[in-house]
Amino acid sequence: MRNTTLGTHGPRVGVIGLGAMGMSFLYDMAAPRDEATSVSVIHQALDLGVTLIDTADVYGPHTNEELVGRALTGRRDRAVLATKVGRVVVDPTGGPDNLPVLAGNGRPEHIRASIDAGLRRLNTDHVDLYQLHRVDPQVPIEETWGAMAEAVAAGKARHLGLSEVTVEQIQRARAVHPVATVQSEFSLWTRDVQAEVLPYCRQHGIGLLPYSPLGRGFLAGRFTSFDQLPHNDHRRRLPRFQQDNLRANLAIAARVREVADRIEATPAQVALAWLVAQGPHVVPIPGTKTPAYLVDNAGAADLRLSPADLADLDAVPPAVGAR
C-alpha cells in the first residue's frame, strides 16, 4: 500500500487505516463478538499495509484496547498504534436501545492514570499516537493537553492528536504542545471540516483522520432502510438513519454507486478514494470486523479518481438530518 506522513512531523502510515471500535463497541451490540475473526482482521490489515490501527479506552470500555493488544502481540513493530482518552462510560445501558451513555473527562489526573492503564491493556510500552477523544467543557484544554504532553516527555506516547475540535481549540492546544493529527467525522455526507478545520490542518502540517468515512456503512450501500439496522445498534438513534431522512439520503449513495460502476470499483472504494484525494495528509480510518470489507477498503489506496469523477462526487447533495 502507498504510504504517507501524518502531517509534517507525524509517523509514516498506509493511506488507509483501520478503526477497531466496531469490533467491540456500539455497533450491533446484541450480536456475539467473534474475537478470533477480529484478531485475524487486524493481522490481515498489517499484511495489506494498513498500518494505522485506531482504538480508544472508552470502547468496551477497555475491551477494545485489550483486543488490539492481543492482536498486536508479536506484531507491534509493524503497527502505528493510536488510542484515545477523555471519554468515559457513565452508564453502560442507560441510553436509547440500552446503549451506553458517555461523558467527557479531561482532568489531568484522569489522563495520567489512563495512559498507564491503556499501555497495560495494549501490551506495549508506548503508543504512536495518543489522542484527546473529546474536549471536556469543564476542564481548560491547556490542562488536559499538558497532561498528555507529559506522556510524550515520559516516552509513553510518540505524538499527540485531537478529535472533533474547532480551529480555536487546535490553536490553544498547539500553544502547549505540537498537534500531530486531528480526527473528525468526514465523508461524502459529513463535510463540516472542509469549512475551517481541513484548511487549517493543511496550512499547519497537521494530519487529518476521517472516522466514519463510509457514512457508517451507508455510502458502501449496506443500508437502504431503517429496518436493516441491527438491533441495539448506535445508528438506530442517529437522525440520518431515521426512515424519512434515510430515504432522502439514498441520492448520495446512488451518486457514489454511479461513479463506482463507471470506473469498475466498489462504492466503498470510491468514497474512500475521494477522501484520500483531499490531500496527502488525509488518512481515512474505516472500521470493519469483516475480512471481505477490509480487503475492499484497502483497495481504495490504489484507486485514482479522475477530475471528472471528483467533480461528480463533490456535487453530491448535502445529507438530510444531523450527524
Side-chain angles (χ1 to χ4, degrees):
M1 179 178 290
R2 290 186 293 120
N3 287 337
T4 190
T5 301
L6 284 178
T8 303
H9 303 294
R12 294 285 291 176
V13 296
V15 296
I16 303 291
L18 174 64
M21 183 192 77
M23 297 175 179
S24 310
F25 194 58
L26 283 185
Y27 293 154
D28 200 9
M29 294 289 283
R33 299 291 160 178
D34 185 347
E35 291 205 357
T37 298
S38 293
V39 167
S40 71
V41 165
I42 294 173
H43 292 172
Q44 186 178 11
L46 297 175
D47 291 340
L48 291 169
V50 178
T51 54
L52 178 62
I53 311 296
D54 181 81
T55 181
D57 59 2
V58 76
Y59 300 159
H62 309 318
T63 55
N64 196 246
E65 284 188 328
E66 293 168 347
L67 170 67
V68 171
R70 288 193 294 273
L72 293 183
T73 299
R75 295 172 168 84
R76 175 65 183 89
D77 60 344
R78 298 175 59 190
V80 176
L81 178 57
T83 192
K84 297 183 285 294
V85 66
R87 298 192 93 186
V88 294
V89 174
V90 295
D91 188 333
T93 59
D97 298 317
N98 297 317
L99 289 169
V101 177
L102 308 182
N105 188 341
R107 298 193 310 274
E109 58 269 27
H110 174 72
I111 303 298
R112 295 185 187 107
S114 294
I115 183 64
D116 291 330
L119 292 178
R120 287 193 296 272
R121 289 189 290 268
L122 290 163
N123 191 30
T124 186
D125 63 354
H126 75 279
V127 293
D128 299 291
L129 179 62
Y130 200 40
Q131 303 162 97
L132 179 59
H133 209 155
R134 293 291 187 275
V135 175
D136 185 344
Q138 306 302 317
V139 180
I141 191 172
E142 292 83 357
E143 294 183 14
T144 304
W145 200 245
M148 294 179 68
E150 292 174 13
V152 176
K156 299 174 183 180
R158 297 288 188 261
H159 305 276
L160 299 183
L162 294 162
S163 180
E164 288 293 358
V165 285
T166 64
V167 166
E168 188 257 346
Q169 289 169 330
I170 301 172
Q171 292 170 330
R172 289 172 59 186
R174 289 182 71 222
V176 176
H177 185 90
V179 176
T181 60
V182 169
Q183 187 172 148
S184 289
E185 184 172 353
F186 184 25
S187 69
L188 278 164
W189 79 341
T190 302
R191 289 178 276 181
D192 315 51
V193 298
Q194 288 182 307
E196 295 181 355
V197 171
L198 179 59
Y200 184 88
C201 289
R202 285 172 175 158
Q203 180 181 358
H204 295 279
I206 297 171
L208 188 74
L209 305 179
Y211 73 85
S212 297
L214 299 178
R216 307 177 193 273
F218 180 78
L219 296 173
R222 290 185 57 197
F223 307 107
T224 57
S225 75
F226 182 84
D227 293 336
Q228 291 176 314
L229 295 170
H231 182 60
N232 276 17
D233 189 290
H234 173 60
R235 287 165 288 204
R236 282 181 167 263
R237 53 177 166 173
L238 299 179
R240 290 185 184 179
F241 283 93
Q242 304 311 304
Q243 193 63 276
D244 290 344
N245 291 343
L246 192 63
R247 192 176 298 113
N249 288 328
L250 289 175
I252 302 174
R255 181 71 61 86
V256 174
R257 180 166 290 282
E258 287 171 10
V259 174
D261 290 344
R262 186 167 69 224
I263 64 176
E264 298 183 342
T266 68
Q269 290 170 346
V270 167
L272 293 172
W274 178 82
L275 284 167
V276 172
Q278 303 307 305
H281 63 301
V282 179
V283 177
I285 48 172
T288 186
K289 53 188 177 182
T290 304
Y293 290 160
L294 171 71
V295 173
D296 189 24
N297 294 343
D302 298 320
L303 184 62
R304 306 279 188 168
L305 298 173
S306 71
D309 296 331
L310 290 170
D312 280 351
L313 294 168
D314 288 339
V316 299
V320 176
R323 66 184 177 99

